[in-house]
């Protein structure tokens, strides 16, 4: 150990002596912000694995979008994704895009299937040291993050000849986040806190690999449904329906537009002042409202965002990240006050600290 220190010191002194003329070896210039490429597996016409009412393509996108939010909120990084919506991307697109962008690392997020249980992760068959470092930084953190929520089997660090691992020119790791066709795993994948913990752990692994410091993003994620006791209020003018299979939970509420204050409110107990991502989920129908106002009570006043409820039903749609004050209060409203025609719909809200 002492010899190593002495050697490092001599090397450092030698490097400093020549620093005016030559760059210090071993310290390649890196862009001010490391470039992180996130690849949510599957999408569009390729649903990936399915089971227990879940689709791989939706889970990978959910984890990946949260991963991006957590990275951007906590560290100085650039993030690019192979997709941010439910669209089809070829494997070649994913790796070409990451290579062209000049990513510093590539993480592909998947859900397993085939009747096993637990978490496993992959690097390419002949990985270099940097890839191995990324793999070693990610895997144990993801396991620990998952186990903060539930029992998860560690299936280990593996290697495979996957396209996204082989064709990327930067360190690349692919994670298989539990088995969609195993009930115990699926039950975890259905939990918002598990998805967020998985995303956080990926972020921590990436930050550790990049040497960005040990910021630990706090965990908080909650879903409020229109049926959640004590957390949803709407007047009798709001009907209840289970018409659309895209609903969250048993039913949703709907009302005709009208120029009056008769909003449906979702109440959320915010644990601490900070930045939170707010998402809404609603069934979609061509006859629903194109401009449904959503009011968010932020730390600096109310903000209103309009949601087109004619499409993108049955998925979490981000309204953005907002600075919120601590406390239990009505946080998100769906307003009827819109000049567009068609029902406005209130179904569910998800709030996640980033
Ligand atoms: Zn997959």
């Amino acid at each position: 150990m002492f010899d190593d220190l002495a050697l490092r010191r001599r090397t450092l002194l030698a490097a400093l002596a020549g620093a005016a003329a030559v760059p210090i070896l071993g310290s390649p210039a890196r862009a001010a912000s490391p470039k992180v490429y996130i690849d949510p597996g599957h999408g569009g016409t390729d649903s990936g694995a399915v089971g227990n009412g879940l689709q791989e393509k939706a889970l990978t996108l959910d984890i990946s979008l949260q991963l991006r939010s957590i990275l951007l909120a906590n560290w100085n990084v650039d993030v690019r994704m192979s997709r941010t919506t439910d669209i089809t991307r070829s494997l070649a697109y994913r790796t070409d895009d990451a290579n062209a962008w000049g990513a510093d690392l590539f993480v592909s997020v998947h859900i397993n299937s085939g009747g096993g249980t637990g978490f496993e992760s992959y690097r390419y068959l002949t990985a270099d040291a940097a890839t191995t470092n990324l793999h070693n930084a990610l895997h144990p953190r993801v396991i620990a993050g998952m186990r903060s929520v539930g029992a998860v089997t560690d299936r280990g660090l593996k290697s495979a000849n996957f396209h996204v691992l082989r064709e990327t020119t930067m360190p690349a790791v692919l994670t298989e986040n539990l088995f969609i066709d195993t009930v115990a795993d699926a039950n975890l994948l259905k939990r918002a806190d598990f998805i967020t913990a998985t995303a956080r752990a990926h972020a921590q692994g990436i930050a550790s690999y990049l040497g960005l410091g040990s910021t630990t993003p706090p965990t908080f994620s909650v879903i409020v449904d229109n049926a959640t006791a004590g957390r949803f209020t709407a007047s009798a003018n709001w009907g209840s329906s289970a018409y659309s299979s895209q609903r969250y939970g048993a039913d949703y509420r709907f009302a005709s537009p009208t120029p009056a204050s008769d909003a449906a409110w979702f109440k959320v107990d915010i644990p601490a002042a900070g930045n939170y991502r707010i998402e809404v989920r609603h069934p979609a129908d061509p006859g629903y409202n194109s401009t449904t106002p959503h009011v968010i009570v932020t730390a600096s006043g109310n903000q209103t965002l309009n949601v087109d409820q004619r499409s993108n039903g049955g998925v979490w749609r981000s309204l953005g990240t907002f600075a919120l004050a601590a406390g239990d209060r009505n946080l998100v409203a769906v307003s009827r006050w819109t000049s567009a025609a068609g029902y406005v719909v209130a179904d569910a809200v998800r709030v996640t600290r980033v």
Side-chain angles (χ1 to χ4, degrees):
M1 189 178 291
F2 179 83
D3 286 347
D4 281 350
L5 278 174
L7 179 61
R8 267 217 305 271
R9 187 161 167 273
R10 278 199 301 276
T11 307
L12 181 61
L13 288 171
L16 285 171
V22 294
I24 296 173
L25 292 176
S27 301
R30 172 135 62 191
S33 301
K35 298 166 90 169
V36 177
Y37 197 93
I38 304 169
D39 175 38
H42 312 278
T45 57
D46 170 17
S47 63
V50 295
N52 294 301
L54 297 170
Q55 289 190 311
E56 180 180 359
K57 67 174 184 179
L59 292 166
T60 61
L61 184 59
D62 198 354
I63 293 168
S64 297
L65 287 171
Q66 293 198 39
L67 168 56
R68 179 177 67 172
S69 294
I70 293 165
L71 283 170
L72 293 175
N74 291 283
W75 293 284
N76 182 25
V77 293
D78 283 343
V79 178
R80 186 175 172 89
M81 297 175 66
S82 56
R83 64 185 183 95
T84 56
T85 57
D86 182 19
I87 57 172
T88 307
R89 292 290 199 207
S90 68
L91 292 175
Y93 172 90
R94 297 166 197 259
T95 51
D96 287 351
D97 190 52
N99 292 343
W101 188 50
D104 289 306
L105 66 92
F106 181 104
V107 174
S108 190
V109 177
H110 286 254
I111 311 297
N112 228 329
S113 67
T117 184
F119 173 76
E120 63 192 22
S121 60
Y122 289 87
R123 62 174 180 257
Y124 186 56
L125 303 171
T126 54
D128 59 16
T131 301
T132 303
N133 288 342
L134 174 62
H135 200 187
N136 290 340
L138 265 176
H139 187 96
R141 286 178 174 81
V142 175
I143 281 287
M146 289 176 164
R147 286 178 173 168
S148 72
V149 178
V152 170
T153 300
D154 185 352
R155 301 171 63 88
L157 297 90
K158 303 183 176 183
S159 62
N161 183 20
F162 294 151
H163 175 99
V164 296
L165 303 180
R166 185 182 63 245
E167 301 299 331
T168 38
T169 56
M170 71 292 302
V173 168
L174 182 148
T175 61
E176 291 279 5
N177 299 279
L178 307 195
F179 284 70
I180 204 166
D181 55 351
T182 295
V183 171
D185 284 17
N187 285 341
L188 285 173
L189 291 167
K190 289 176 180 175
R191 289 177 57 170
D193 55 348
F194 183 83
I195 295 297
T196 297
T198 301
R200 287 178 68 246
H202 277 74
Q204 290 167 326
I206 290 167
S208 170
Y209 165 75
L210 290 171
L212 299 178
S214 58
T215 298
T216 303
T219 53
F220 174 79
S221 186
V222 66
I223 293 174
V224 179
D225 179 56
N226 63 285
T228 305
R231 301 253 148 227
F232 179 84
T233 48
S235 77
N237 297 321
W238 288 76
S240 294
S241 177
Y243 163 73
S244 173
S245 62
Q246 293 178 336
R247 66 187 181 274
Y248 184 86
D251 61 2
Y252 52 96
R253 303 291 291 269
F254 66 98
S256 297
T258 186
S261 290
D262 185 29
W265 280 98
F266 294 87
K267 186 180 184 186
V268 182
D269 191 1
I270 299 298
N275 292 319
Y276 294 81
R277 183 178 58 260
I278 296 182
E279 297 158 293
V280 294
R281 188 163 165 152
H282 61 87
D285 187 276
Y288 290 168
N289 204 283
S290 66
T291 319
T292 304
H294 286 63
V295 181
I296 297 165
V297 180
T298 77
S300 56
N302 290 0
Q303 288 191 36
T304 302
L305 295 108
N306 294 321
V307 175
D308 184 347
Q309 296 188 313
R310 298 172 302 178
S311 59
N312 291 313
V315 297
W316 291 108
R317 303 180 64 179
S318 178
L319 298 181
T321 298
F322 305 88
L324 302 180
D328 195 7
R329 65 183 169 284
N330 282 334
L331 184 72
V332 180
V334 180
S335 168
R336 298 175 62 193
W337 203 320
T338 169
S339 56
Y343 288 137
V344 300
V345 172
D347 190 7
V349 164
R350 180 165 69 182
V351 179
T352 303
R353 184 158 187 179
V354 297

